[in-house]
Amino acid sequence: MRLSLVATAAVAALALAGCTNGGNSGTSSTPTNGAASPEAVAYMDKVCGAASEFAKIEKTAPKLDAGDSAKLKAEMAAYMGQLADAFTKSAEGLKNVGPSPVAGGEEAVTKMAETFTSLGAVFADAKTKVEQADANNATGGLQAAGEAIAKLSELADPLRDLKAVPELQKATQTAQKCQEMHRLNVTPTS
């Protein structure tokens, strides 16, 4: 059971790169009825720059080594810590992007920051549980790691909260940092 849980966690972790960016393709399918204002594009550059900090942080998924439970436990705890730090860094960046030039923008970015903050806390908690788990019977810790990784579905579309603000959603199509964020994680997942 421990090996299958770790395998599930590792597969989910490898798919993580696609999860952090999946929503950007959804924003590009929005019809473009005129260009977004330069202020909205500049704001979205800040938002996407802050959100993409997550993707830039080194995250090394643990290698499956069923023979060394202590090593697996240590690597999984380190991985959970890397994810917690990455989400926290992006959340802090989102909180500091400043006022939106478009009505509703600040509320959408606040929701994004709350999602990143929540996921950071989930991974910090999972790290603690992994560290506290018995290395000879790490199922509890690995289960916590697997549950945390399952929560990544909340980030399947990191810009989903912008759907309520069409001008900002449209601005993601031309904002340089949003395009960079999209390119950071464009890898086939199938």
Side-chain angles (χ1 to χ4, degrees):
M1 175 170 169
R2 177 175 31 143
L3 185 59
S4 67
L5 187 56
V6 173
T8 301
V11 169
L14 294 175
L16 177 61
C19 290
T20 62
N21 187 37
N24 287 339
S25 61
T27 58
S28 64
S29 67
T30 303
T32 54
N33 299 332
S37 73
E39 296 83 9
V41 172
Y43 183 72
M44 286 313 301
D45 259 341
K46 292 179 187 177
V47 170
C48 288
S52 69
E53 285 302 312
F54 167 80
K56 294 177 185 176
I57 291 177
E58 181 73 27
K59 296 170 287 295
T60 306
K63 304 281 188 276
L64 297 179
D65 185 1
D68 191 347
S69 297
K71 180 180 176 188
L72 179 60
K73 176 185 162 186
E75 288 178 356
M76 186 60 79
Y79 183 59
M80 293 295 103
Q82 290 167 346
L83 291 171
D85 292 346
F87 280 116
T88 300
K89 184 172 182 176
S90 284
E92 289 304 314
L94 287 167
K95 291 175 187 175
N96 294 314
V97 296
S100 172
V102 177
E106 288 178 53
E107 291 83 2
V109 172
T110 296
K111 286 181 184 178
M112 290 172 62
E114 289 170 354
T115 298
F116 278 91
T117 298
S118 172
L119 287 169
V122 165
F123 281 100
D125 184 54
K127 177 181 186 261
T128 300
K129 288 179 180 175
V130 170
E131 289 171 338
Q132 292 173 349
D134 178 1
N136 295 318
N137 184 10
T139 303
L142 294 178
Q143 182 174 351
E147 290 169 359
I149 289 170
K151 290 250 184 208
L152 290 175
S153 65
E154 292 179 21
L155 198 63
D157 182 354
L159 302 176
R160 73 178 177 266
D161 293 311
L162 295 175
K163 290 178 180 165
V165 188
E167 186 174 355
L168 291 182
Q169 187 177 18
K170 190 182 301 181
T172 65
Q173 298 170 11
T174 54
Q176 182 179 356
K177 295 284 185 184
C178 295
Q179 296 307 306
E180 288 172 12
M181 185 171 125
H182 181 68
R183 285 189 299 271
L184 277 174
N185 295 307
V186 175
T187 55
T189 57
S190 57

